[in-house]
């Protein structure tokens, strides 16, 4: 079989184009423009760490620099154009995808029922009906509103009291939904009160859902192995994705391609047959600060194979053992990851503590000017009035 080879530079351009990182980050970053960004990405991961900006806000800002956090909250909680649930982690997802989440609801419920009884404190299943009744009768609630007569334990996720576990079970299984956030605390209500009827009442069978998951993942990745397709939404199993690829290849729906990694090795993947018919323009050379949870970097191993960029979050690494910092941000320029930066919002000042260029990245006058401009834009986005640099911030 004659399998086309996609060279590394072209593969990077395709990949970044699919992830919304090719064009200049213009656009309103509101309403339909913002919804289109999230539709293209498939979902945006939510995260609570806020040393500079929360992950979801930084993901959207790096693509639309007029974006402000209230625009996402409006789409989620006012307009109901998105809903909040789980992919590989908590995420905000286009509402049109809700019907396809029913497979996830069912599979998560089965997993929780079989596993959580053994490692959660108390019998959470005995509290499910009580929690549902409380929400039905008294309205939306947070985890602090349920099980008020139960021991609080340590407060860690491993030691939830039974009613809190029941609440999480009901959310993960689709019985209740996040109606809004209070700060970063989820507020839950019955799903039929949250999800618009046209999406709530729609159903898809398992084969259609598997096809939607695999095809949608391939749309958004450009090229992928069956394992990468399975991992994208984290709905389908690796075996289901493998069967989908086998059948789609036999039907001529997809083609096999060899993707050249940064070290010159070829990695067999799959793509739509017209992938090479479409141009993959060179990304703009503007420097961007990316979230550690950016969709382009979520799969750390793929980012390392494709870009030669090794990244790990060091939040849980003891400070003396950290190579870089508690929470450092990758930085991209064009189709290259050029380094990582340690910065933190301190009141009205954005403090840049360190920037480590990648090997081979030269910091000349032009790149330094572009870097400072991006940091100034970041300070404005973070609501900072000043931008300060530590004396030894540039780590060459």
């Amino acid at each position: 079989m004659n399998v086309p080879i996609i060279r590394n530079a072209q593969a990077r351009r395709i990949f970044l184009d699919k992830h919304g990182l090719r064009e200049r980050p213009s656009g309103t970053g509101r309403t339909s423009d913002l919804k289109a960004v999230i539709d293209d990405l498939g979902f945006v991961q939510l995260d609570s760490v806020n040393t500079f900006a929360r992950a979801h806000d930084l993901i959207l800002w790096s693509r639309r620099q007029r974006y402000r956090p209230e625009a996402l909250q409006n789409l989620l909680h006012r307009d109901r154009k998105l809903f909040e649930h789980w992919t590989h982690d908590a995420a905000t997802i286009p509402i049109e995808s809700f019907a396809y989440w029913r497979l996830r609801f069912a599979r998560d419920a089965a997993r929780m029922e079989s596993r959580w009884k053994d490692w959660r404190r108390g019998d959470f299943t005995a509290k499910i009906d009580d929690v549902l009744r409380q929400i039905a009768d008294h309205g939306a609630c947070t985890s602090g509103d349920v099980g008020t007569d139960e021991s609080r334990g340590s407060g860690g996720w491993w030691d939830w009291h039974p009613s809190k576990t029941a609440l999480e079970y009901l959310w993960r299984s689709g019985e209740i939904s996040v109606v809004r956030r209070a700060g970063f605390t989820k507020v839950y209500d019955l799903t039929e009160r949250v999800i618009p009827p046209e999406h709530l009442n729609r159903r898809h069978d398992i084969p259609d859902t598997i096809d939607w998951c695999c095809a949608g993942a391939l749309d958004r990745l450009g090229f992928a192995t069956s394992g990468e397709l399975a991992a994208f939404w984290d709905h389908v199993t690796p075996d289901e994705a493998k069967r989908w690829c086998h059948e789609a290849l036999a039907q001529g729906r997809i083609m096999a391609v060899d993707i050249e990694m940064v070290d010159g090795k070829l990695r067999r993947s799959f793509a739509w047959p017209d992938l090479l018919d479409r141009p993959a323009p060179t990304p703009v050379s503007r420097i961007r600060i990316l979230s550690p949870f950016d969709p382009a970097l979520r799969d750390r191993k793929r980012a390392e194979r494709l870009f030669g960029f090794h990244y790990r979050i060091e939040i849980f690494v003891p400070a003396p053992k950290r190579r870089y910092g508690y929470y450092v941000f990758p930085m991209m320029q064009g189709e290259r990851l050029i380094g990582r930066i340690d910065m933190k919002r301190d009141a009205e000042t954005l403090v840049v503590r360190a920037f480590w260029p990648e090997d081979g990245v030269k910091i000349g006058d032009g790149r330094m000017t572009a870097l400072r401009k991006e940091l100034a834009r970041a300070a404005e986005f973070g609501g900072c009035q000043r931008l300060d640099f530590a004396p030894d911030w540039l780590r060459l």
Side-chain angles (χ1 to χ4, degrees):
M1 180 172 61
N2 186 20
V3 176
I5 296 174
I6 299 179
R7 296 299 176 189
N8 184 249
Q10 185 181 12
R12 291 189 191 199
R13 291 193 292 267
I14 291 170
F15 190 75
L16 294 177
D17 184 41
K18 293 293 184 181
H19 285 79
L21 293 170
R22 179 182 64 81
E23 298 179 341
R24 190 169 296 280
S26 56
T28 66
R30 294 182 287 108
T31 59
S32 59
D33 178 63
L34 182 61
K35 175 63 162 51
V37 173
I38 300 171
D39 287 345
D40 288 345
L41 293 174
F43 62 89
V44 172
Q45 182 173 338
L46 298 166
D47 192 76
S48 61
V49 178
N50 195 17
T51 58
F52 160 60
R54 298 195 193 278
H56 43 283
D57 292 324
L58 187 52
I59 289 168
L60 295 170
W61 177 75
S62 63
R63 290 156 174 83
R64 293 289 189 273
Q65 290 197 339
R66 291 166 64 188
Y67 165 81
R68 294 298 180 266
E70 59 271 16
L72 178 63
Q73 300 310 309
N74 288 339
L75 285 180
L76 261 170
H77 305 140
R78 183 192 69 188
D79 303 334
R80 301 286 177 223
K81 299 294 185 183
L82 308 168
F83 72 103
E84 184 177 329
H85 212 264
W86 208 260
T87 54
H88 61 289
D89 210 322
T92 178
I93 306 154
I95 194 66
E96 294 82 3
S97 302
F98 181 83
Y100 294 103
W101 247 251
R102 293 194 177 278
L103 177 62
R104 179 62 178 262
F105 297 156
R107 289 180 171 179
D108 276 2
R111 270 194 297 270
M112 290 183 290
E113 288 164 10
S114 66
R115 298 178 186 176
W116 281 17
K117 285 185 179 180
D118 296 331
W119 60 272
R120 293 289 191 189
R121 179 161 55 88
D123 181 9
F124 77 92
T125 61
K127 297 294 185 179
I128 289 173
D129 289 342
D130 291 343
V131 171
L132 263 181
R133 190 178 306 111
Q134 176 178 338
I135 297 173
D137 293 346
H138 301 290
C141 74
T142 70
S143 60
D145 299 323
V146 299
T148 54
D149 59 340
E150 297 170 28
S151 170
R152 298 284 106 176
S154 68
W157 64 267
W158 62 90
D159 196 23
W160 292 342
H161 59 75
S163 290
K164 177 173 170 56
T165 305
L167 190 72
E168 182 75 9
Y169 168 87
L170 289 166
W171 175 55
R172 295 283 293 271
S173 61
E175 292 291 325
I176 61 176
S177 293
V178 177
V179 66
R180 64 181 182 276
R181 290 264 188 168
F184 205 69
T185 299
K186 294 192 289 286
V187 181
Y188 304 93
D189 204 345
L190 299 179
T191 291
E192 58 262 33
R193 295 174 181 168
V194 178
I195 304 299
E198 63 271 25
H199 303 292
L200 177 70
N201 298 323
R202 190 170 296 152
R203 298 290 188 277
H204 299 284
D205 61 21
I206 291 178
D208 283 347
T209 300
I210 293 172
D211 183 69
W212 178 88
C213 286
C214 292
L218 192 57
D219 284 342
R220 291 166 174 87
L221 294 173
F223 48 82
T225 65
S226 63
E228 289 166 345
L229 294 181
F232 184 82
W233 309 102
D234 198 25
H235 273 28
V236 302
T237 68
D239 284 345
E240 286 169 339
K242 190 177 293 185
R243 283 195 296 272
W244 183 88
C245 289
H246 177 78
E247 293 170 3
L249 188 63
Q251 295 163 358
R253 288 183 64 191
I254 63 175
M255 66 176 180
V257 292
D258 281 336
I259 307 298
E260 184 185 37
M261 300 294 105
V262 71
D263 62 0
K265 294 179 181 177
L266 299 179
R267 183 174 173 82
R268 180 62 53 89
S269 300
F270 301 99
W272 296 118
D274 63 346
L275 178 68
L276 299 179
D277 297 336
R278 301 190 295 269
T282 301
V284 296
S285 61
R286 182 167 177 166
I287 289 179
R288 303 176 201 249
I289 300 169
L290 300 182
S291 164
F293 299 107
D294 194 278
L297 301 174
R298 179 175 64 83
D299 186 331
R300 308 291 189 211
K301 291 181 179 178
R302 182 174 56 208
E304 191 166 355
R305 287 191 298 263
L306 197 58
F307 296 95
F309 186 74
H310 177 85
Y311 182 87
R312 297 293 182 270
I313 289 179
E314 297 183 291
I315 289 176
F316 301 110
V317 176
K321 296 184 178 181
R322 289 174 188 151
R323 182 178 177 185
Y324 297 107
Y326 174 81
Y327 193 80
V328 301
F329 301 88
M331 301 200 72
M332 174 172 281
Q333 186 175 32
E335 61 190 52
R336 186 179 186 183
L337 285 151
I338 63 168
R340 61 204 81 205
I341 195 161
D342 182 5
M343 62 184 191
K344 184 176 182 179
R345 188 180 61 251
D346 184 4
E348 294 187 344
T349 302
L350 180 61
V351 180
V352 178
R353 296 187 284 202
F355 171 64
W356 296 269
E358 287 290 278
D359 290 344
V361 173
K362 296 179 180 179
I363 307 298
D365 291 343
R367 182 165 277 148
M368 178 58 73
T369 297
L371 174 59
R372 287 181 176 274
K373 284 183 178 179
E374 178 69 352
L375 289 169
R377 290 188 288 261
E380 180 183 359
F381 172 64
C384 298
Q385 303 300 315
R386 293 176 298 278
L387 179 61
D388 284 351
F389 295 85
D392 60 343
W393 72 279
L394 189 57
R395 308 290 178 84
L396 297 176

